[in-house]
Amino acid sequence: MKMNTQADRIKVQEYAAPYDLVSYLNEYHRSIAAPDEFWVEQSRLLDWKSPFSKVRNVDFGTQGVTIRWFEDGVLNACVNCVDRHLGQRGNQTAILWESDEPGVTEKITYSELHASVCRLANGLRALGIRKGDCVAIYLPMIPEVAIAMLACARIGAIHSVVFAGFSADALAGRVRDCGARLVITADASVRAGKRIPLKSNVDEALRSCPLVEKCIVVARTSADVDWDAERDVRYVELVDAQSRECEPEWMNAEDPLFVLYTSGSTGTPKGVLHTTAGYLLSCALSHRHVFDLREDDIYWCSADVGWITGHSYIVYGPLANGATTLMFEGVPTYPSPSRFWEICDRHGVTIFYTAPTAIRALMREGDDHVRSTDRSSLRVLGSVGEPINPEAWRWYFEIVGDGRCPVVDTWWQTETGTIMIAPIPGVTPLKPGSATFPLFGVEPVLVNNSGDEIEGAGEGLLCLKQAGPGIMRTIYGDPKRFFKTYFGRIPGLYFTGDGCRRDEDGYYWITGRIDDVINVSGHRLGTAEIESALVAHPAVAEAAVVGYPHETKGQGIHAFITVKAGIEETEKLLGELRLSVRRQIGPIAQPDVIQWAASLPKTRSGKIMRRVLRKLAEGQTNDLGDMSTLAEPGVVATLAKSTQARG
Ligand code: WTA
C-alpha cells in the first residue's frame, strides 16, 4: 500500500496510539500473505473447549463457495462472552443500561449477567428448545435482549432478532422464514416518553406463524396485553423458577449462531447466517483494535440490537472482550438534543460509536447542546452505517470530540458480520469522509463493470478477495441465492453492492450502494420491498421507489405511483399508501415523497428506467441523461410536472 506523507490527513497528536502505522501495516500484510499463521495466533482471543486442527477452508469459487473456519474446533459463544470473565471480572459491569427516562440506569455485572443468562437458558430448555432450533427475539433496547441472545447461544439455539420497529407483517415473514418455534418479546417499548405496543404486534404476527409454540413476554411497562394462556409465558415467572447454573451446549465452530434479516436489491429480506467461532473471533478482534479498547473503558454503541451493529458491537464484540457495554433505550433528541452527551458525562463514556444520520440530526440542532456538556471522558468516536459526509465528520471531530478524539469511520455490512475497512485510533492518519484502510484479513479490490480489477487509484465496484472469518456463511434456507447474490456477479470475488473510490494514497472512500438498496437513516431497505407494500393497495397499478439525497437521513424515499384506471389521486389515498407501508414493513420505510405518475418511464422491453426516476427525485429535470431507449418519450415530461406530496 502506497502511503503519502503530505498533509490532507489528520493525525490526532495527543492520542497515545497502541502501536505505530508501520507495525500495523506489517501485521496487516502478514494477515493477507500468511492467513493461517495469523489466525492461529488470533484464535487465542477465544476460549476453546477443544482446539481446531484446520484454520481455513475457504474457496470463493466460480461454481460454488466454501467458507469454513476452525472447522473442527469446539466452543460456546456465551461461555466466551460471560463465563470466562467471571474469575477476573465477576463484579465488573458488563451491561450498563440507561433507560429512556434520563438517569434511570441499571448496572449488570458479569456475575449477574451469568445468572440471568443461565436462568433464561434453562427456561428455554424447559420450554422444549434444543440445539439447532430457531428463536425469534422481538425486544426493545432493554438488557433482556442481550440476555436472550446469549441464552440462545448457550444452548445452541439460533437466534433471529427482529428490530422492534418492524411491523407485525414484517415480523411474521421473518418468523416463518427461519421456522422459529418460540418468540421472546415485551409488552411494550418506551421511546421519547411514549409507549409503543409490541406484544399486540406479536399476537397479530403469530396468527400466520403456526410453528410458534410459545411466546415469552418481558414486562417492560405495566401495559395491559392480551394473553393466550396456552402460548404466552411471563418472563419473570419462567426465569424465577430456574437455576442460576446452566451447562452450555458445546458447539462446533461452524454451527450457526444467528440469523439476521437484511434487505437486498430484489425479493424478500434475506436471512444472513453467521456461525460461531469465526464470527465471534472477528467481533472480538475488530472491537479491540478499531476502538483501541483498554481496561476501564466505558464503551457505548448507540445502534439498536435489531441491526448487525448491535449484534457485533453492543453484544458479542464488547462482551467477548470483557468490556463494559452501554445500552441506551431512548432516542438522541429526548428530552433534548444534549441527551447523548449527558449520557457520556453521567457514565464517563470513553468510546462512542454512532451513525452519521444521528450526527447530522444533532448538528442541525446547534453546537450549544453539545458545548453545554463536558465530554472530557471521550477518547474515540466511531461512525457506521452509511457514508459520512466530510462536514458531519468535522463537526463530530471538532465539536463533539473537541479535536482530541480520532474518528473511526467503519465500513462493513450485515453480511460481513464485522468491520472490514476502518482506521486504527491514533495510528491511521485520518481523512474526513474516508474509511481509510482494510482491517486484518480483509483484502478489498475494486473492479470495473466488466469485472476487471482496477489497480492503484480509481473508482469501481467494491469486492473482497479475502474477508476474514466473520463473513456470512449462507442465506438461511437459500444457498443458491447466496451464491448468485454475492459470488455470481464477479467470478472469484465477494461482491459488496457498494461503489468505492481509492485515492492516490490508497485510502478507500465508499460512495454508496450501486444496487436497488437504499440507506435511510442508516437503515437498509430494498426498494422492491417498499414497492410491493405499495402495490398491495388495491388502488395502485404500479409503483417505483428510488432513493434521493436527504439532508439528515442520508437518503430519503421517493415513490412514484400509477393508480388504476378510474381511481382518483386523493389526499386520502396518500394516507392509505403511507399506512400500507407502515403496516407491511414499519415506519422507517414510509416514503418521504409520493408522486403521482400517469405512467412510468420504461425501456422498450418494459423495464422501469430507475436512472431517470432517480434524476427526477433529485430534482434534476434538465439533465436526465441518455433517453434513447425510452419507449414513450412523453412520459418523462409529464412526470417532471406532476404533483409531489411530502411527509
Ligand atoms: C453502508 C451496517 C459508507 C454500505 C453495518 C453497506 C457504509 C451498507 C458504511 C450495509 C460506512 C455501512 N461508509 N457506507 N462507514 N457502513 N455502509 O447491512 O452501503 O445495515 O453496504 O450494515 O451500509 O448496511 P448494513
Side-chain angles (χ1 to χ4, degrees):
M1 195 176 306
K2 195 176 123 224
M3 291 295 304
N4 182 334
T5 49
Q6 285 157 19
D8 53 342
R9 293 171 287 146
I10 296 174
K11 180 102 189 153
V12 184
Q13 297 301 347
E14 307 91 292
Y15 196 89
Y19 34 73
D20 65 19
L21 185 60
V22 173
S23 36
Y24 172 64
L25 290 177
N26 284 342
E27 193 66 351
Y28 167 75
H29 288 301
R30 190 170 70 93
S31 77
I32 298 301
D36 280 20
E37 175 191 296
F38 177 84
W39 288 106
V40 165
E41 289 165 21
Q42 301 307 322
S43 71
R44 294 179 198 128
L45 284 174
L46 299 183
D47 277 7
W48 300 79
K49 174 77 171 168
S50 60
F52 53 88
S53 61
K54 182 164 186 184
V55 184
R56 278 183 329 142
N57 176 5
V58 177
D59 178 20
F60 291 178
T62 49
Q63 301 303 316
V65 170
T66 308
I67 310 175
R68 299 181 67 77
W69 283 80
F70 318 112
E71 57 187 316
D72 55 352
V74 175
L75 76 173
N76 180 284
C78 176
V79 168
N80 271 280
C81 289
V82 185
D83 303 41
R84 67 169 170 153
H85 305 310
L86 293 178
Q88 273 199 349
R89 305 178 185 276
N91 296 324
Q92 181 198 307
T93 303
I95 297 176
L96 173 49
W97 181 69
E98 164 117 355
S99 82
D100 184 63
E101 173 90 14
V104 175
T105 64
E106 199 179 314
K107 289 182 176 171
I108 300 172
T109 64
Y110 273 97
S111 300
E112 289 161 348
L113 181 62
H114 179 259
S116 300
V117 167
C118 285
R119 286 201 153 123
L120 180 59
N122 287 326
L124 290 172
R125 277 190 180 145
L127 294 175
I129 299 299
R130 297 285 176 267
K131 177 176 174 178
D133 287 342
C134 193
V135 170
I137 299 175
Y138 184 65
L139 280 172
M141 287 289 288
I142 53 177
E144 285 81 357
V145 71
I147 294 168
M149 291 163 75
L150 294 166
C152 287
R154 190 166 194 89
I155 63 169
I158 307 167
H159 60 71
S160 170
V161 180
V162 179
F163 173 53
F166 277 130
S167 68
D169 280 7
L171 171 64
R174 287 159 172 78
V175 167
R176 281 196 303 268
D177 188 82
C178 72
R181 296 180 49 208
L182 185 144
V183 179
I184 307 178
T185 190
D187 53 352
S189 68
V190 187
R191 282 168 76 77
K194 288 199 268 304
R195 280 186 194 178
I196 304 149
L198 284 183
K199 170 71 163 54
S200 57
N201 284 353
V202 176
D203 291 339
E204 190 184 330
L206 294 191
R207 278 185 219 126
S208 61
C209 301
L211 285 183
V212 174
E213 295 152 22
K214 293 288 174 193
C215 174
I216 301 174
V217 185
V218 179
R220 168 64 187 94
T221 71
S222 48
D224 267 343
V225 291
D226 288 345
W227 203 257
D228 175 339
E230 285 283 293
R231 186 195 68 194
D232 298 341
V233 180
R234 286 193 172 76
Y235 181 93
V236 178
E237 286 172 17
L238 178 72
V239 298
D240 277 359
Q242 304 297 330
S243 148
R244 305 164 56 102
E245 297 295 332
C246 170
E247 187 55 31
E249 192 76 46
W250 293 110
M251 306 295 284
N252 182 272
E254 282 298 341
D255 279 336
L257 180 60
F258 67 86
V259 176
L260 181 62
Y261 286 82
T262 191
S263 298
S265 298
T266 54
T268 50
K270 303 172 279 215
V272 169
L273 181 89
H274 284 286
T275 56
T276 305
Y279 169 79
L280 192 64
L281 177 58
S282 195
C283 281
L285 182 70
S286 55
H287 180 255
R288 189 170 278 250
H289 288 274
V290 173
F291 300 107
D292 181 22
L293 186 71
R294 300 178 187 180
E295 275 310 315
D296 303 327
D297 266 325
I298 304 290
Y299 162 87
W300 176 21
C301 165
S302 77
D304 192 286
V305 178
W307 311 112
I308 192 69
T309 308
H311 281 60
S312 305
Y313 298 107
I314 294 177
V315 180
Y316 287 113
L319 295 179
N321 285 331
T324 297
T325 181
L326 194 149
M327 184 185 267
F328 174 43
E329 184 182 38
V331 302
T333 47
Y334 175 83
S336 85
S338 295
R339 183 69 190 272
F340 270 2
W341 325 123
E342 283 164 6
I343 294 177
C344 289
D345 287 352
R346 178 156 37 247
H347 300 291
V349 171
T350 53
I351 305 169
F352 178 61
Y353 190 29
T354 196
T357 186
I359 299 167
R360 287 191 298 263
L362 295 174
M363 187 166 107
R364 257 192 6 179
E365 302 284 342
D367 299 358
D368 289 352
H369 294 288
V370 189
R371 294 203 201 270
S372 60
T373 61
D374 179 49
R375 290 160 286 108
S376 58
S377 57
L378 287 172
R379 197 181 81 240
V380 177
L381 299 172
S383 170
V384 60
E386 50 176 316
I388 178 163
N389 46 310
E391 194 196 356
W393 193 103
R394 286 189 187 280
W395 185 82
Y396 197 29
F397 177 68
E398 275 155 22
I399 307 299
V400 175
D402 286 323
R404 285 182 301 108
C405 310
V407 171
V408 290
D409 174 11
T410 64
W411 174 84
W412 57 295
Q413 311 178 297
T414 306
E415 292 88 336
T416 67
T418 58
I419 301 169
M420 297 278 108
I421 304 183
I424 305 294
V427 174
T428 316
L430 306 169
K431 293 192 187 189
S434 168
T436 75
F437 303 129
L439 285 192
F440 299 123
V442 178
E443 192 178 2
V445 286
L446 300 185
V447 300
N448 63 20
N449 276 324
S450 339
D452 305 321
E453 204 169 318
I454 299 166
E455 305 277 348
E459 186 165 343
L461 312 176
L462 178 62
C463 294
L464 303 176
K465 201 175 269 179
Q466 290 191 59
I471 193 170
M472 73 186 289
R473 299 303 195 253
T474 190
I475 293 176
Y476 197 66
D478 201 347
K480 283 205 185 99
R481 188 175 174 199
F482 171 62
F483 180 75
K484 186 162 166 265
T485 310
Y486 301 104
F487 298 93
R489 177 123 180 207
I490 317 280
L493 298 177
Y494 167 83
F495 174 66
T496 66
D498 279 316
C500 181
R501 180 167 70 81
R502 188 169 44 217
D503 71 15
E504 49 297 339
D505 302 326
Y507 280 67
Y508 287 84
W509 301 75
I510 311 297
T511 54
R513 302 289 305 195
I514 49 103
D515 53 11
D516 291 322
V517 170
I518 50 182
N519 196 324
V520 181
S521 301
H523 302 316
R524 191 170 145 179
L525 296 164
T527 51
E529 282 169 76
I530 308 173
E531 286 162 6
S532 81
L534 289 165
V535 287
H537 191 288
V540 175
E542 205 166 27
V545 167
V546 295
Y548 69 95
H550 186 287
E551 204 186 330
T552 48
K553 295 178 168 186
Q555 281 188 297
I557 303 172
H558 189 124
F560 295 85
I561 305 283
T562 310
V563 289
K564 287 184 182 155
I567 301 281
E568 256 188 88
E569 298 164 347
T570 59
E571 271 300 314
K572 180 164 169 283
L573 181 55
L574 282 176
E576 288 174 18
L577 291 176
R578 293 191 188 109
L579 188 68
S580 181
V581 176
R582 291 174 75 93
R583 288 190 64 89
Q584 288 179 62
I585 307 174
I588 53 170
Q590 180 175 303
D592 299 281
V593 179
I594 297 182
Q595 180 169 0
W596 303 119
S599 46
L600 293 169
K602 291 187 183 158
T603 60
R604 286 186 200 100
S605 57
K607 235 179 137 210
I608 295 176
M609 292 178 75
R610 290 171 178 283
R611 177 175 58 78
V612 174
L613 294 177
R614 270 186 222 116
K615 291 270 184 184
L616 289 171
E618 285 169 25
Q620 296 188 24
T621 43
N622 297 325
D623 169 31
L624 293 171
D626 176 19
M627 307 261 269
S628 56
T629 55
L630 192 65
E632 293 174 64
V635 168
V636 176
T638 317
L639 207 49
K641 286 189 228 119
S642 88
T643 42
Q644 302 184 0
R646 288 190 180 264

